[in-house]
Amino acid sequence: MEANAGLIAGSYNRNELVVIGVERVGLKPQAGLDGQVCKICRDEVGVTIDGELFVACNECAFPVCRPCYEYERAEGNQVCPQCKTRYKRLKGSPRVEGDEEEEDVDDIENEFNYDIRDRSGQHIAEAMLHEQMSYGRGDAHDIPHMTSTMPSQVPLLTNGLMSEDISGIPPEHHALIIPSFMGSGGKRVHPLPFPDSQLPVQPRPLGPNKDLASYGYGSVAWKERMYNWKDRQEKLALVKASGDGGDGNDDSIVDDDLPIMDEARQPLSRKIPIPSARINPYRMIIVIRLVVLAFFLRFRILNPVPNAYGLWMVSVICEVWFAVSWILDQFPKWLPINRETYLDRLSLRYDREGKPSELAAVDLFVSTVDPMKEPPIVTANTVLSILSVDYPVDKVSCYVSDDGAAMLTFEALSETSEFARKWAPFCKKYSIEPRAPEVYFAQKIDYLKDKVHPSFVRERRAMKREYEEYKVRINALVAKAQKVPEDGWTMQDGTPWPGNNVRDHPGMIQVFLGHSGGVDTDGNHLPRLVYVSREKRPGHNHHKKAGSMNACVRVSAVLTNAPYILNLDCDHYINNSKALREAMCFMMDPAAGKKICYVQFPQRFDGIDRHDRYANNNTVFFDINLRGLDGIQGPVYVGTGCVFNRQALYGYDPPKTRKPPSRSCNCCSSLCSWCCCFGSRKKGKKSKLSLRPKFWKKKRGSKRSADVPVHKLEGIEEGVEGIESERSASMSQKNFEKKFGQSPVFIASTLLEKGGVPPNASPASLLKEAIHVISCGYEDKSDWGKEIGWIYGSVTEDILTGFKMHVRGWRSVYCMPQRPAFKGSAPINLTDRLHQVLRWALGSVEIFLSRHCPIWYGYGTGLKWLERLAYINTIVYPWTSLPLLAYCSLPAVCLLSGKFIVPTIDSYASLWFISLFLSIIATGILEIRWSGIGIDEWWRNEQFWVIGGVSAHLFALFQGLLKVLAGIDTSFTVTSKQADDEEFAELYQFKWSTLLIPPTTLLILNIVGVIAGISDAINNGYQSWGPLFGKLFFAIWVIMHLYPFLKGLLGRQNRTPTIVIVWSILLASILSLLWVRVNPFLPKQTGPMLEECGLRCD
């Protein structure tokens, strides 16, 4: 599938497959090109030495004569002036720099005798199609080539590598494998002291990056290299043993490569525990608070209030619930840790300069729905940051999932792919950070810092102008999309847009960037960029974002099948260009990487007001809670900024750690044999959670090549039969189809743990299967959404997906690089923020009422109990809204009724109240101390916990009950990512919603209660101020937590500070009451003063 070849749309169920906007599949026909004039020098194009019309570019057939073609290849940019595709060496052309990268065989002998007459046009087209499809799938040795420049009769020991700099093997040690069909009984390795021109293929050096065992012990130079390796290891051991005590004068021991070898062997990351001086006092105060809380609740339960029994009962129930909620939230923070990565060690091990990169491939998913709420310029900046990431370009593939099938998104992505050809080389040349142009050009910093290149200022200005022109083109597309035509949208060639009906359209795939045509202005390759819109039909449940992500998992597995997946929201751009390398420090770690299901990065946001009024940064959760979980079994999945292990998404179990054999005496041999006989049945039972068949687990223990699958599925059609087979595999084919669906190509890709596509897969079958796997009925009667991929059943699919992985025994990792890996936008308006929290809470209620509830699901599995407490806390917090609403109403009720929830207490009982209050303050201070967050961030989080609890969480609780119990579904709105031109203008916008009613009512009640309580104390004298103090403290506590909500209600108020307005109202009310007390509005008496004598006359 070629880049910019056209939009591929189709439906597997309807047996439709259409290619829109494509004029060719293979080479462009040359008929009618005779007599053309070169567009550069105006001479005739001419013919080749075979008498055929000379065609310089096989992609667009742009008319260029042979001299201009040779000059462009030798002195110019080596690309076609029209389509920017790199010129390939044609027959009779001298070799230039870069040609070796295009061919697998160094055809020096036949450079001027290249024959292509025996190949048909269809064969050439399929070869080009395969070359395009194979781009970005990992290492070249994982993929068999469809065509070969020279038919080889002698298999090479290497994989077509000719670089002697890499191998370091002298020519006299070159070797060939002589197979049995050439006269010998079996494979033998023969040295070749000199090149023999009569052999069909010249000898190649041994590949140093391959295991020597694959060549056999009889290979030439094997003993010599083994001895050299042993000597280097002994030298390295001596250097380590000598340490600083050595004199360093023995040159025979010290080698220049020894420090590099030693560094490359070190772990790629390490855990950094919190210092004991900070974490131990924190743990001690948690235990003390737990004890004080127990005594406090004992006192509250044993000392009811007779004259306010109802109020006392409600308050005690609320306090018990708050205590349980605190325990669920607090103890998962018991083991917080930090982590440190070593990017230099990663490069030494997998990405050394001058050698092919061995870093793992990554597929990146960007999801978007409505371009009117998620502006195309925001999505485009995310895509541009991905295409310019600091990672090997052939290892990166970006899939944009358009779940709204909007032509605006499609056209904006087309413009983005063209601008990326200029933006990506600019970022890599000058090490730009961040690599989202909108954010980079809007930075109010010294952009010349650390820049020494003299042309930087000139190129930056030119790039800024290019971006502004690109932005104008995007804005024009947005303006055009405001009014939809009556007949729907049409493409440039007049074809109706397949997604005109958002709810009824075929699946669509478009490759914008790839190997063919995917080059920047410097002629370097760009990562692959693919547009995907899954099929939608009426009557099917498409499962919103979770279904969109699962469709991306399948289509990426068919096209590129990278072993790791990174998913991002459309507004989360890559802020740190080395973010993928940070994740690979964990995923590719030889010791612990195989057990990691995902690496979660914290979410950081732009465009938030300085005071973070509504706790949009959510610092307490990302910097405290998740760091605590990282010390247990790993953080929960938060929906974006997460790098997944593809095998974990497929529902596979992590590899089991083999325990060393225990020693036993001979006297127990009979007992052991008896236990083995009677225990064999239990061992033979298949685990319910494991999706791998029994033979798969056995096979994993054996040594095998990373790119060779364990078994094949018989009956795989259209060229996917290249996987070695076992008998038991054909027996389990139906089981695999039941779990993964009816696509044999996709099932074959799931068996490749190291990624890549199945061998011998034809491009036509891959295109067909790519449309097949995104069809709306593909997931029917399969385990998608149940055990595989993103899990369905909740609008917060992220919690369920991560929970299922942890239940299987996987662990996750929390990565917090010094420079934030990703940044996004957050709703700073009060109403939008509450709607966002409402959706999160609704998903938690759905999980609570499902079979996947952590309270009763997954016992006896790999889930640790502290991790379970954390998951329970994530799904029960919406239920806290009921006791929180009641508890915040009690102060006003007490002030208005004159009653209180606590009886008269003595000095001993007051000790527990004071101790609890001090322990709460101490816990917060010590938590701030070890985490490093600010006290203002901690306080904002406490405030919004109350605001969200009495509004969004309360509504989510009732909506969740209606949805699950009554079947009344509630739709959520996508959070707007677009802000006004004025900075923080959205912060002051007032958008009325029913979510504002409960907190507004609480504010009015407590303010009225404070006024009524003070007026009552003034009227009754000083003796009533004592009981009033506790009630006022209680009410003011509620008002302080709701203060940000009050600011949101009052808005900007002509820039008058809200605190001035609040205190003005309170002071005016108090002064008015005092005036009434001093000079009440009563009629004055003029007669004598009558007083009661105090004697009883009766």
Side-chain angles (χ1 to χ4, degrees):
M1 185 167 53
E2 301 179 7
N4 296 319
L7 177 67
I8 301 173
S11 173
Y12 180 81
N13 297 330
R14 301 186 180 186
N15 197 20
E16 299 174 354
L17 186 62
V18 182
V19 182
I20 303 174
V22 177
E23 298 179 359
R24 57 176 174 81
V25 176
L27 301 177
K28 190 165 185 176
Q30 300 177 3
L33 296 180
D34 295 335
Q36 282 201 355
V37 178
C38 175
K39 297 293 185 180
I40 298 178
C41 64
R42 298 301 177 182
D43 292 339
E44 291 187 1
V45 173
V47 295
T48 63
I49 57 178
D50 297 331
E52 299 177 356
L53 181 69
F54 177 77
V55 179
C57 178
N58 291 333
E59 301 299 326
C60 64
F62 185 70
V64 175
C65 64
R66 184 113 197 181
C68 293
Y69 162 78
E70 299 292 355
Y71 178 82
E72 183 67 22
R73 277 174 44 83
E75 305 294 338
N77 296 327
Q78 301 182 2
V79 297
C80 174
Q82 176 171 293
C83 66
K84 304 301 181 183
T85 304
R86 188 183 186 279
Y87 278 139
K88 296 183 179 180
R89 184 172 64 87
L90 302 179
K91 182 173 59 174
S93 299
R95 187 179 301 277
V96 298
E97 183 181 359
D99 288 344
E100 291 80 6
E101 302 175 359
E102 299 178 357
E103 300 178 6
D104 293 329
V105 179
D106 195 359
D107 190 14
I108 299 296
E109 297 290 337
N110 300 314
E111 181 173 352
F112 297 97
N113 191 25
Y114 183 75
D115 190 5
I116 197 174
R117 288 173 294 181
D118 58 338
R119 301 187 180 185
S120 62
Q122 180 66 23
H123 184 70
I124 297 174
E126 290 187 0
M128 294 178 59
L129 191 58
H130 181 272
E131 181 184 13
Q132 168 63 24
M133 294 300 299
S134 63
Y135 174 73
R137 296 177 188 164
D139 298 335
H141 60 269
D142 294 338
I143 307 160
H145 293 277
M146 296 292 294
T147 61
S148 176
T149 307
M150 181 183 297
S152 175
Q153 298 177 0
V154 182
L156 301 177
L157 284 179
T158 62
N159 193 33
L161 300 175
M162 277 295 293
S163 176
E164 294 185 3
D165 297 335
I166 298 177
S167 64
I169 302 174
E172 61 270 13
H173 286 167
H174 289 181
L176 291 177
I177 296 178
I178 306 301
S180 58
F181 66 82
M182 295 190 68
S184 57
K187 289 187 178 180
R188 297 181 182 178
V189 180
H190 296 274
L192 294 177
F194 56 89
D196 189 357
S197 60
Q198 296 180 356
L199 288 175
V201 179
Q202 293 298 315
R204 304 299 173 90
L206 298 175
N209 58 345
K210 298 187 68 175
D211 189 5
L212 289 176
S214 63
Y215 301 128
Y217 291 103
S219 59
V220 178
W222 177 83
K223 291 183 180 181
E224 186 176 330
R225 296 180 66 184
M226 181 60 70
Y227 288 144
N228 292 337
W229 179 82
K230 288 183 178 180
D231 292 340
R232 296 172 71 87
Q233 295 302 309
E234 293 176 359
K235 292 179 182 180
L236 182 61
L238 290 175
V239 171
K240 287 184 176 181
S242 62
D244 296 333
D247 55 2
N249 296 326
D250 191 356
D251 296 336
S252 63
I253 295 179
V254 181
D255 192 283
D256 295 337
D257 292 337
L258 288 180
I260 298 178
M261 292 172 56
D262 186 32
E263 187 72 14
R265 291 173 181 271
Q266 297 299 319
L268 302 180
S269 64
R270 72 183 181 103
K271 295 180 182 179
I272 304 178
I274 306 297
S276 301
R278 294 188 177 184
I279 195 62
N280 286 340
Y282 176 68
R283 293 169 179 168
M284 291 175 59
I285 202 65
I286 290 175
V287 176
I288 294 174
R289 180 176 174 180
L290 186 64
V291 174
V292 171
L293 184 61
F295 281 99
F296 171 80
L297 293 177
R298 177 180 178 275
F299 171 79
R300 293 285 287 122
I301 294 173
L302 298 179
N303 294 273
V305 182
N307 60 342
Y309 191 82
L311 296 177
W312 168 83
M313 179 64 70
V314 172
S315 64
V316 169
I317 294 175
C318 294
E319 289 164 0
V320 171
W321 180 268
F322 294 152
V324 175
S325 178
W326 173 77
I327 292 174
L328 294 176
D329 179 70
Q330 190 66 64
F331 279 93
K333 307 174 189 176
W334 188 264
L335 298 170
I337 62 171
N338 295 320
R339 293 185 184 269
E340 184 180 10
T341 57
Y342 301 100
L343 300 181
D344 51 347
R345 296 176 183 175
L346 180 74
S347 299
L348 286 174
R349 181 172 294 182
Y350 297 109
D351 194 24
R352 298 188 66 174
E353 187 176 357
K355 294 185 178 181
S357 176
E358 297 180 5
L359 290 172
V362 183
D363 289 337
L364 295 95
F365 300 161
V366 179
S367 58
T368 181
V369 181
D370 188 354
M372 294 301 158
K373 294 183 178 180
E374 300 169 335
I377 194 64
V378 175
T379 305
N381 273 267
T382 300
V383 173
L384 289 171
S385 68
I386 293 173
L387 298 179
S388 56
V389 70
D390 184 9
Y391 206 75
V393 293
D394 59 324
K395 309 286 186 178
V396 178
S397 300
C398 177
Y399 293 84
V400 179
S401 174
D402 180 16
D403 223 28
M407 188 173 176
L408 174 59
T409 304
F410 179 83
E411 291 183 335
L413 210 58
S414 177
E415 291 285 350
T416 303
S417 65
E418 293 300 322
F419 178 72
R421 302 176 191 269
K422 306 173 184 177
W423 174 251
F426 171 75
C427 292
K428 294 179 180 180
K429 181 178 180 180
Y430 298 109
S431 301
I432 298 300
E433 294 288 355
R435 299 189 176 181
E438 184 72 20
V439 183
Y440 171 71
F441 290 121
Q443 290 182 119
K444 298 179 181 179
I445 60 173
D446 182 13
Y447 63 86
L448 297 179
K449 185 178 180 180
D450 301 330
K451 298 295 185 295
V452 296
H453 203 285
S455 62
F456 171 71
V457 175
R458 182 180 67 256
E459 294 192 22
R460 184 183 185 275
R461 291 174 179 171
M463 185 55 60
K464 187 175 182 179
R465 183 176 62 253
E466 291 281 353
Y467 175 68
E468 290 173 351
E469 294 175 356
Y470 157 76
K471 193 173 179 180
V472 168
R473 294 194 296 270
I474 297 294
N475 293 337
L477 294 176
V478 175
K480 177 183 176 182
Q482 298 295 327
K483 186 177 181 181
V484 181
E486 295 181 0
D487 299 334
W489 298 106
T490 56
M491 304 182 72
Q492 294 181 356
D493 60 351
T495 307
W497 171 247
N500 279 325
N501 190 343
V502 179
R503 298 182 179 180
D504 188 4
H505 64 83
M508 293 178 282
I509 298 176
Q510 166 75 59
V511 178
F512 286 105
L513 293 176
H515 186 65
S516 177
V519 294
D520 56 26
T521 53
D522 295 340
N524 301 317
H525 286 298
L526 288 171
R528 169 173 289 186
L529 175 61
V530 183
Y531 171 87
V532 179
S533 182
R534 55 179 174 150
E535 181 186 12
K536 287 190 175 182
R537 302 298 180 188
H540 287 81
N541 187 0
H542 302 289
H543 301 288
K544 300 177 181 177
K545 181 181 177 180
S548 175
M549 289 293 98
N550 285 337
C552 280
V553 170
R554 296 190 296 270
V555 74
S556 65
V558 172
L559 299 182
T560 52
N561 197 29
Y564 302 109
I565 293 172
L566 167 63
N567 84 292
L568 294 171
D569 289 343
C570 65
D571 62 322
H572 275 70
Y573 63 90
I574 298 181
N575 184 64
N576 185 348
S577 62
K578 298 184 182 298
L580 295 182
R581 296 178 181 266
E582 295 277 355
M584 291 303 109
C585 286
F586 300 102
M587 289 296 194
M588 300 188 69
D589 190 278
K594 294 182 179 180
K595 294 186 178 181
I596 297 176
C597 56
Y598 59 83
V599 177
Q600 178 65 62
F601 291 87
Q603 292 186 20
R604 299 292 186 244
F605 302 99
D606 290 327
I608 297 177
D609 60 300
R610 182 165 55 92
H611 301 288
D612 192 12
R613 180 187 296 180
Y614 305 122
N616 286 278
N617 283 317
N618 214 354
T619 313
V620 173
F621 176 75
F622 288 112
D623 290 13
I624 297 180
N625 294 64
L626 294 190
R627 286 167 68 186
L629 290 176
D630 198 18
I632 304 171
Q633 197 177 347
V636 298
Y637 169 44
V638 298
T640 183
C642 186
V643 179
F644 284 97
N645 185 338
R646 189 182 284 267
Q647 296 295 313
L649 280 173
Y650 288 159
Y652 292 150
D653 293 337
K656 303 297 182 183
T657 303
R658 293 186 177 181
K659 297 182 180 180
S662 58
R663 297 181 180 180
S664 60
C665 57
N666 295 332
C667 61
C668 300
S669 58
S670 59
L671 179 62
C672 293
S673 61
W674 180 83
C675 293
C676 292
C677 293
F678 283 87
S680 60
R681 292 188 178 181
K682 292 184 179 180
K683 293 182 180 179
K685 290 183 179 180
K686 186 179 178 181
S687 174
K688 293 182 179 180
L689 292 174
S690 176
L691 297 181
R692 299 183 189 268
K694 185 178 179 181
F695 69 86
W696 173 270
K697 294 183 178 180
K698 292 182 179 180
K699 193 68 178 178
R700 286 191 64 180
S702 61
K703 294 182 179 180
R704 59 181 178 87
S705 177
D707 57 339
V708 177
V710 175
H711 65 280
K712 78 168 186 179
L713 301 176
E714 293 195 2
I716 292 181
E717 57 190 23
E718 299 187 30
V720 194
E721 296 90 350
I723 306 177
E724 295 299 329
S725 174
E726 290 186 1
R727 287 186 177 180
S728 53
S730 60
M731 297 175 59
S732 61
Q733 177 181 355
K734 293 183 178 179
N735 294 333
F736 274 86
E737 291 180 351
K738 182 179 179 182
K739 295 180 183 300
F740 295 108
Q742 299 296 321
S743 172
V745 177
F746 173 75
I747 294 175
S749 70
T750 63
L751 306 179
L752 302 175
E753 295 184 9
K754 299 299 182 181
V757 296
N760 302 328
S762 65
S765 66
L766 296 182
L767 286 174
K768 179 180 178 181
E769 292 302 319
I771 293 295
H772 179 197
V773 297
I774 61 174
S775 59
C776 58
Y778 180 83
E779 298 179 353
D780 295 346
K781 298 180 180 180
S782 69
D783 285 345
W784 283 102
K786 302 173 185 176
E787 302 290 338
I788 301 172
W790 272 256
I791 307 301
Y792 303 150
S794 171
V795 294
T796 53
E797 69 288 333
D798 44 6
I799 298 178
L800 268 180
T801 304
F803 176 64
K804 294 283 286 187
M805 294 181 184
H806 283 138
V807 166
R808 295 189 185 99
W810 293 91
R811 74 150 295 128
S812 56
V813 169
Y814 195 51
C815 182
M816 296 180 64
Q818 186 175 3
R819 179 179 180 85
F822 311 101
K823 278 191 174 183
S825 60
I828 61 176
N829 180 266
L830 174 61
T831 305
D832 293 340
R833 172 68 168 144
L834 290 178
H835 277 286
Q836 183 186 53
V837 175
L838 169 67
R839 185 174 67 87
W840 295 343
L842 177 60
S844 297
V845 175
E846 291 174 342
I847 298 174
F848 182 87
L849 300 175
S850 69
R851 71 181 186 93
H852 292 116
C853 179
I855 299 177
W856 52 72
Y857 181 83
Y859 285 95
T861 59
L863 188 66
K864 297 183 179 180
W865 69 274
L866 281 179
E867 192 81 11
R868 183 180 296 276
L869 288 182
Y871 274 108
I872 292 176
N873 185 48
T874 59
I875 57 103
V876 301
Y877 76 89
W879 297 85
T880 310
S881 60
L882 294 176
L884 185 61
L885 181 64
Y887 209 68
C888 291
S889 304
L890 289 177
V893 176
C894 293
L895 287 170
L896 294 175
S897 63
K899 301 177 182 179
F900 199 42
I901 58 176
V902 179
T904 304
I905 58 176
D906 53 12
S907 58
Y908 176 76
S910 62
L911 180 63
W912 299 118
F913 285 85
I914 298 174
S915 300
L916 181 62
F917 183 73
L918 293 178
S919 65
I920 293 174
I921 296 177
T923 304
I925 293 175
L926 294 176
E927 200 169 70
I928 292 171
R929 184 168 177 260
W930 71 256
S931 64
I933 68 172
I935 189 172
D936 55 336
E937 296 173 318
W938 182 85
W939 175 239
R940 292 300 183 199
N941 181 81
E942 294 294 317
Q943 287 179 315
F944 198 79
W945 178 76
V946 176
I947 295 173
V950 299
S951 58
H953 298 172
L954 183 66
F955 278 77
L957 181 61
F958 289 105
Q959 289 184 12
L961 292 174
L962 289 175
K963 182 177 181 179
V964 176
L965 301 180
I968 302 176
D969 194 3
T970 54
S971 60
F972 68 92
T973 57
V974 178
T975 306
S976 177
K977 275 80 176 178
Q978 192 170 13
D980 294 338
D981 295 334
E982 186 180 357
E983 187 177 13
F984 306 135
E986 187 183 358
L987 179 67
Y988 306 102
Q989 291 181 1
F990 181 79
K991 301 177 183 179
W992 176 252
S993 173
T994 53
L995 297 176
L996 306 178
I997 296 177
T1000 304
T1001 305
L1002 286 177
L1003 267 174
I1004 295 175
L1005 284 176
N1006 283 276
I1007 292 176
V1008 171
V1010 169
I1011 297 175
I1014 294 176
S1015 63
D1016 182 71
I1018 293 174
N1019 289 324
N1020 293 330
Y1022 295 101
Q1023 67 277 5
S1024 60
W1025 284 96
L1028 180 65
F1029 178 77
K1031 302 175 184 178
L1032 286 177
F1033 177 81
F1034 200 6
I1036 292 174
W1037 177 87
V1038 175
I1039 295 175
M1040 289 177 61
H1041 280 78
L1042 294 176
Y1043 175 69
F1045 177 81
L1046 182 60
K1047 292 184 68 175
L1049 286 180
L1050 297 178
R1052 191 185 296 266
Q1053 293 295 327
N1054 295 324
R1055 300 189 182 273
T1056 303
T1058 309
I1059 190 66
V1060 175
I1061 299 175
V1062 174
W1063 281 109
S1064 299
I1065 297 174
L1066 289 176
L1067 290 177
S1069 303
I1070 293 173
L1071 291 175
S1072 300
L1073 293 173
L1074 288 175
W1075 175 257
V1076 171
R1077 174 63 178 171
V1078 173
N1079 189 10
F1081 297 97
L1082 296 175
K1084 297 182 179 181
Q1085 297 181 356
T1086 56
M1089 300 294 295
L1090 301 178
E1091 295 182 0
E1092 189 175 354
C1093 63
L1095 299 177
R1096 298 180 64 182
C1097 300
D1098 56 351

